[in-house]
Amino acid sequence: MAVPGMARKRVGAVCAVTMCRYWSANTMGSTSSTPFQGIPGGKGPYTVGCTDLMTDHTSQGSFLRLYYPCLDCKDLEQAQWIPRKEYYLGLADTLKLNRTFVNRFFNHYFGTVTCPAKWNAPFRPGEKYPLIIFSHGLGAFRTLYSAICIEIASQGFVIAAVEHRDESASATYFQEKPTSQTCEQSPEALKEVWMYYRTLKAGEQEFPLRYQQVLQRGEECIKALNIILDINAGKQVTNALHLNFDWNTIQGCIDVNRIATVGHSFGAATVVQCLAQDARFRCGIALDVWMFPLGEEVYSAVHQPLFFINSERFHWTRNILQIKKLDSATVDRRMITIKGAVHQSFPDFTFLTGTLVGKIFKLKGSIDPHVAIDIINKASLAFLQKHLALQRDFNQWDAFLDGKGDHLIQGTNIVLPATEPKAVE
């Protein structure tokens, strides 16, 4: 669940033992821990809807979940948080756990969980909305950051949360035509193909794999951007998922001059990659970035403002030194650290476990998860207002940008060596 490298292996081992104990305790009627609290809803003035888009049924197409301001349709159901059981199987593979056990566990505790966004609700026209392209972490997928995406959408943004097909998602899927020549090529004849998280092979070096993945991730984010801008320009889109959503209503409602990218962990590295590849992204927000996958060429290629929001418990010296290679004397580059936060304070799982289990799983830190996500969202909105030139009231949270607040540190909590990398000019 968005945990890179050796840290993921350690968490996987802890999860295997803890999940078994937690499962046994709850099936025996223990009430010592509440299974989950629920994903928080948006606090902004807009009602939020969401839908999925799969353009081109093949693996070369784009797959994303769109969060957007919608018309207030009270009769519509909320979106399912994890929509298919295959995602449970992918999480099991990622954590090196038994598929049958994890499928049973997740289906029991999370199978009915919804996120507070109206599924396939009509898009709210009549305004120009800034656009965010969101990239998920290693072992995650498009739906696991709904608390962040829904809050930002409730403040008047459109967010496209990409599901990456570089084998870094715990699971994703596409569709292929059957090999039999007797079948008519119709949507009903297409066969689902699931792509699961790829583990390193014995003796395989990690960097070449992660580097190729981050390059593909950057291209997938740019492809998603192009698709949304094409829809905005009035071009027709074919959704391989055949959902009841009118994409024509988005036409003319995207502010093409106000585009940013946000991501967590490997997705935050993808943010840096996107900024280096495409100047249409006017700024980026990197949530607990994992810098390892990035090539040296990106450090001189990023010219846009960049905001690093870190947890207190994730980072190490080399990772911070790589972040600081992006320091600039001329472009706004900021870093803050949330005290008491952990790497999993950003995805939704932090809200869906009780306190004890959440801490053992490292899904919760010592900070209340609602306080942490509130800081993440408010700091992000303040940065977006500043660099997308928005006429909003998000500047009321400008102090967060400088690390001012009860739960914040300006910069990092990591003690760095006396000699640091030179800032990019």
Side-chain angles (χ1 to χ4, degrees), residues 178-185:
T179 55
S180 172
Q181 298 300 314
T182 62
C183 294
E184 293 294 330
Q185 301 305 325

Side-chain angles (χ1 to χ4, degrees), residues 6-58:
M6 293 302 296
R8 186 180 67 255
K9 296 176 184 177
R10 290 194 297 271
V11 170
V14 172
C15 285
V17 176
T18 305
M19 286 176 75
C20 289
R21 290 176 178 170
Y22 182 54
W23 174 260
S24 298
N26 279 275
T27 54
M28 291 172 64
S30 171
T31 57
S32 61
S33 179
T34 302
F36 55 80
Q37 302 173 23
I39 299 168
K43 298 179 180 179
Y46 297 88
T47 302
V48 177
C50 74
T51 191
D52 287 337
L53 175 63
M54 184 186 291
T55 63
D56 183 352
H57 59 79
T58 73

